[in-house]
Amino acid sequence: MITPILLCGGSGTRLWPLSRKSYPKQFVPLVGETTLFQASAQRLSGAEFAAPMVLTNSDFRFIVTEQLAGVGIDPGAILIEPAGRNTAPAVLAAALYLAQSDPEALMLVAPSDHVVPDDAAFRAAVAAGAEAANKGQIVTFGIKPTHAETGYGYLELISDPGDFSPRAIGLKRFVEKPDAATAEAMLASGNFLWNAGIFLFSVKTMLAAFAAHAADLVAPVEAAIAAGENDLGFFRLDPESWAALDDISIDYAVMEKADNLTVVPFAAGWSDLGGWDAVWRESQADANGVVASGNATAIDCRDSLLRSEDDSLAVVGIGLQDVIAVAMPDAVLVADASRAQDVKLAVAALKEKGAKQATEFPMDHRPWGWFESLVVGERFQVKRIHVHPGAALSLQSHHHRSEHWIVVEGTAKVTVDDEVKLVTENQSVYIPLGSVHRMENPGKLPMVLIEVQTGSYLGEDDIIRYEDVYARGQGAKG
């Protein structure tokens, strides 16, 4: 049985403004109804797969469990990385953790933000690779190029992939992201495939590879696991040990040095959605090459992507060609399609200006639900708060603000100091500054309320938690 290892910590800045550091692209339904993370988990489920192991960070841990539950998948271990250290430490941590229970297991390491339209074809490729992996090979998956892409690394094969039937082929070398001329030459040769960054191997094979090629990573990761702690349904790797690790990819640390690599060629469609141009290619365009989604309208446009992520915000394009336009409630991107890879420059420019839109998603997801700011003034803020059935916010107080809550859907169970009461639709309650309070949703339907905050400071870090069913500790998110 194969254990999927889903890597789930990237920020996806090239898909700004929809993908941001606080809520990156893997959690967003970019193509289809499910999110990329959910689609990845579903693709790697079935009789031949064990429950997935997920590596993510603390801010995403409850999003991961909520989204897996949304598609009926019960995860295995969820490892919390204290800080981003790239893919090599993450893969090693997964291998060492899995070795404790099943040292003979096969691991399929996959990013959680890719699109693979044909799940059955991908499973067939995995099955073909499993035979080689069981014999001690490290298997990677090479994608048939559809164009001379300069944003991907490549794999040079020992022999021609032929009809791309699923089988293991020898790997000659890894090739870094090429310039345009080199990419064209590699595409013409037929012996080069895109490196999908998906790997299949046994636990013992990968541990031996790290011992041979990246031994300096082994002791700190072993220490991070040994000193790690269980936290609700998660396993937190030890921060001090993790901090000693280099930031290095699995390609640099192991793959480019190993001599036991094979490639399974794959031609049934794949994209890492590394930019809005890729989203346009993976979407269903009309006869004029236009993809208009959400509340977007195209008039006499060609080869363009128009997208509105807010039902109340209409996006209209007239006479556009080769244009990307993406509207969020708090930010709008308009770009020439040929500059799709430069969207990250917009994020950098906004960071330089101190704009929160650079990293913060307008909807703030929490384990109990989510909230969004509707209006922000100098000494007041209006929020919409959505609480899942049966969920509860922490018992908390604030130093600098008071709050009014108006329930607009469902019923809230409200605690204010020593008083506990039910507040139903069209009723309100006042939370004085300094009062210890909590809201809960005791019902079986979502509860929605409008919160009006007033005070000298309205930041999310003005929270003192006394009790929390999610064990988040102090801080804005805990």
Side-chain angles (χ1 to χ4, degrees):
M1 189 170 288
I2 299 170
T3 299
I5 311 295
L6 296 176
L7 306 180
C8 193
S11 58
T13 55
R14 288 176 294 178
L15 287 176
W16 184 89
L18 184 57
S19 176
R20 308 188 196 182
K21 183 179 179 181
S22 69
Y23 201 71
K25 67 175 181 176
Q26 59 263 31
F27 301 125
V28 176
L30 276 161
V31 178
E33 297 299 318
T34 57
T35 70
L36 301 179
F37 173 66
Q38 289 174 319
S40 297
Q42 289 176 312
R43 186 181 314 122
L44 305 180
S45 62
E48 66 271 41
F49 295 102
M53 179 188 298
V54 181
L55 283 94
T56 189
N57 63 45
S58 186
D59 286 349
F60 301 157
R61 66 195 190 278
F62 294 109
I63 299 173
V64 163
T65 54
E66 181 180 327
Q67 292 209 350
L68 288 176
V71 291
I73 292 177
D74 187 15
I78 299 177
L79 273 57
I80 307 300
E81 297 178 79
R85 286 295 183 267
N86 216 316
T87 53
V91 171
L92 179 55
L96 287 168
Y97 191 91
L98 192 56
Q100 297 174 142
S101 58
D102 190 358
E104 301 294 324
L106 292 184
M107 303 168 54
L108 180 65
V109 176
S112 59
D113 55 1
H114 291 182
V115 169
V116 181
D118 192 336
D119 287 358
F122 184 75
R123 292 191 187 103
V126 171
E131 183 177 350
N134 276 318
K135 295 177 180 178
Q137 292 288 298
I138 298 174
V139 180
T140 185
F141 294 83
I143 310 300
K144 182 180 181 180
T146 57
H147 57 281
E149 176 62 57
T150 59
Y152 300 150
Y154 284 70
L155 305 169
E156 184 178 4
L157 306 183
I158 289 175
S159 59
D160 190 285
D163 63 356
F164 277 81
S165 58
R167 68 199 188 284
I169 298 175
L171 173 65
K172 185 174 182 180
R173 64 182 176 116
F174 284 80
V175 181
E176 295 295 323
K177 296 177 182 178
D179 58 29
T182 304
E184 290 285 359
M186 291 193 295
L187 179 66
S189 78
N191 268 20
F192 291 85
L193 307 180
W194 288 339
N195 179 8
I198 303 172
F199 301 99
L200 177 64
F201 42 76
S202 70
V203 171
K204 62 182 180 182
T205 296
M206 186 48 53
L207 293 181
F210 270 98
H213 307 300
D216 58 317
L217 299 178
V218 176
V221 177
E222 286 179 333
I225 291 175
E229 296 181 348
N230 289 306
D231 176 8
L232 297 179
F234 312 103
F235 182 79
R236 289 184 178 271
L237 296 161
D238 176 59
E240 185 176 348
S241 305
W242 199 255
L245 289 159
D246 290 334
D247 185 315
I248 185 169
S249 73
I250 188 70
D251 285 13
Y252 284 126
V254 172
M255 301 303 173
E256 294 184 3
K257 304 170 185 176
D259 59 3
N260 58 332
L261 283 104
T262 56
V263 183
V264 174
F266 186 74
W270 168 89
S271 174
D272 74 341
L273 292 187
W276 285 113
D277 53 341
V279 175
W280 173 77
R281 284 193 297 268
E282 294 298 321
S283 303
Q284 294 296 318
D286 66 14
N288 294 317
V290 173
V291 175
S293 58
N295 194 13
T297 303
I299 300 171
D300 296 330
C301 295
R302 303 188 70 84
D303 300 327
S304 294
L305 173 70
L306 307 179
R307 188 171 180 130
S308 173
E309 298 298 326
D310 188 333
D311 290 341
S312 64
L313 196 160
V315 173
V316 180
I318 302 175
L320 302 177
Q321 183 164 350
D322 300 320
V323 167
I324 294 166
V326 182
M328 295 284 291
D330 63 337
V332 178
L333 169 71
V334 181
D336 188 285
S338 68
R339 302 290 300 276
Q341 293 301 308
D342 290 334
V343 171
K344 59 186 177 183
L345 300 179
V347 177
L350 289 173
K351 284 182 179 178
E352 185 72 20
K353 293 170 62 175
K356 67 178 183 179
Q357 289 93 334
T359 57
E360 296 179 21
F361 201 70
M363 185 179 291
D364 198 324
H365 291 260
R366 299 297 172 93
W368 43 260
W370 52 265
F371 70 83
E372 60 181 336
S373 294
L374 303 177
V375 181
V376 180
E378 185 176 346
R379 292 179 59 90
F380 74 93
Q381 180 172 206
V382 181
K383 292 180 177 178
R384 173 165 49 196
I385 300 176
H386 175 112
V387 184
H388 297 319
L393 280 69
S394 60
L395 186 67
Q396 60 186 249
S397 66
H398 309 294
H399 285 306
H400 302 288
R401 70 175 185 254
S402 59
E403 297 169 343
H404 285 83
W405 294 344
I406 304 99
V407 176
V408 294
E409 291 182 32
T411 298
K413 180 181 178 182
V414 175
T415 299
V416 182
D417 294 324
D418 296 328
E419 182 182 7
V420 180
K421 63 180 179 179
L422 295 178
V423 182
T424 59
E425 290 182 13
N426 299 320
Q427 294 183 332
S428 64
V429 63
Y430 173 60
I431 315 298
L433 185 150
S435 290
V436 177
H437 60 280
R438 186 200 321 252
M439 76 172 78
E440 306 171 57
N441 180 358
K444 296 183 178 180
L445 296 173
M447 184 267 289
V448 180
L449 59 82
I450 300 300
E451 177 181 86
V452 180
Q453 302 176 349
T454 57
S456 59
Y457 179 73
L458 306 174
E460 286 303 311
D461 53 350
D462 181 22
I463 296 176
I464 303 169
R465 290 191 178 93
Y466 303 98
E467 296 176 7
D468 183 40
V469 295
Y470 308 105
R472 285 173 294 170
Q474 300 302 325
K477 292 189 177 182

